[in-house]
Amino acid sequence: MNKTASREDMSGPAGLPAHEQVYRHLREMILFGELAPGQAVTIQGLTETLGAGMTPVREALRRLTAEGALDFQGNRRIAVPVLDHAALEELTIARRALEPELARRAAERASPDVVEALSEIDTSIDTAIRRGDVPGYLIGNHAFHARINACADAAILTGLVEGLWLRFGPSLRVVCGRFGTEGLPDRHKDLLNALSAGDADAAASAMDADVCQGMEQIALGLGPARPSD
């Protein structure tokens, strides 16, 4: 998958206000782990990195902090939250409650064109895994799930899920960077088969398995849980 093209697709129509462009760009940096857990960000640094003004950067930081994607730590310091086992457990519970339902709804609505588009995305993911292309895998994996969520036509559920992905995305990037792409969990073939057959129960089950495997992979990357976790 072409990284630049994918980001253009997700950035929406041209002519967006500067504050929205900056928000979306920074959101993707967090989602795909370009900003690492614990990494601090500053308005001045982001204005230079993004080539944007201070006002839109400040607004983007405010929005992302409110969404839980960034953490205000005092003294004007804002950082990407560091995920621990307790937070990961909550995220897993939330994902398992929401994403199988979205897959169930998608199976009831998916047209052959949607399934074909998902198959093409999945092929690009397989290519990224073989090549050890971590950014390509992350972008493709998110695109696959986002397409299913869009097909489900459930805006409230999808919005909640998008917020969850912002919280574990940076840690997923760390895990992929540490262990590589070989052996990454992928239950997408099961999902594609269920969507193609219009089997809502099978789609929900496959999504649940995909979520569990992905979050277990992150847990391995976090190391043994400590009593404080």
Side-chain angles (χ1 to χ4, degrees):
M1 172 174 288
N2 183 287
K3 182 176 178 180
T4 302
S6 299
R7 291 199 164 183
E8 288 174 352
D9 291 344
M10 288 186 291
S11 296
L16 289 172
H19 66 85
E20 184 65 22
Q21 293 182 33
V22 170
Y23 166 77
R24 294 191 184 197
H25 193 163
L26 183 55
R27 189 180 187 279
E28 289 174 8
M29 291 175 66
I30 297 169
L31 180 62
F32 300 124
E34 291 181 40
L35 297 175
Q39 181 177 346
V41 297
T42 64
I43 294 175
Q44 183 61 42
L46 289 173
T47 58
E48 296 173 0
T49 299
L50 303 177
M54 294 186 67
T55 299
V57 168
R58 186 180 291 110
E59 173 63 15
L61 290 174
R62 183 194 65 77
R63 290 174 64 181
L64 289 163
T65 300
E67 292 173 11
L70 293 171
D71 186 21
F72 180 71
Q73 300 180 328
N75 296 323
R76 297 185 178 181
R77 186 174 185 271
I78 300 175
V80 178
V82 176
L83 198 62
D84 60 21
H85 284 276
L88 185 65
E89 180 183 15
E90 289 188 48
L91 288 169
T92 302
I93 292 170
R95 289 191 68 195
R96 293 186 69 187
L98 298 173
E99 293 187 55
E101 177 60 25
L102 285 166
R104 180 186 302 278
R105 295 181 181 220
E108 296 170 349
R109 295 166 172 80
S111 67
D113 288 344
V114 168
V115 175
E116 181 179 357
L118 285 166
S119 296
E120 291 175 358
I121 296 172
D122 190 52
T123 297
S124 74
I125 295 171
D126 292 340
T127 299
I129 291 175
R130 287 196 304 271
R131 294 177 176 174
D133 177 5
V134 171
Y137 167 79
L138 294 171
I139 292 172
N141 186 55
H142 177 265
F144 185 90
H145 285 263
R147 190 61 184 264
I148 290 176
N149 296 344
C151 182
D153 192 25
I156 295 174
L157 295 179
T158 297
L160 292 171
V161 167
E162 288 175 350
L164 298 176
W165 277 65
L166 275 175
R167 291 175 179 263
F168 70 80
S171 294
L172 180 59
R173 174 64 177 264
V174 170
V175 169
C176 292
R178 184 179 302 167
F179 300 114
T181 58
E182 185 176 354
L184 282 172
D186 181 358
R187 301 300 294 266
H188 294 173
K189 303 298 185 296
D190 294 338
L191 271 164
L192 287 170
N193 290 336
L195 292 170
S196 182
D199 189 333
D201 289 340
S205 178
M207 179 61 79
D208 184 65
D210 187 69
V211 167
C212 288
Q213 286 189 348
M215 300 305 268
E216 287 169 2
Q217 193 80 3
I218 296 176
L220 291 174
L222 296 180
R226 298 173 298 178
S228 59
D229 288 346

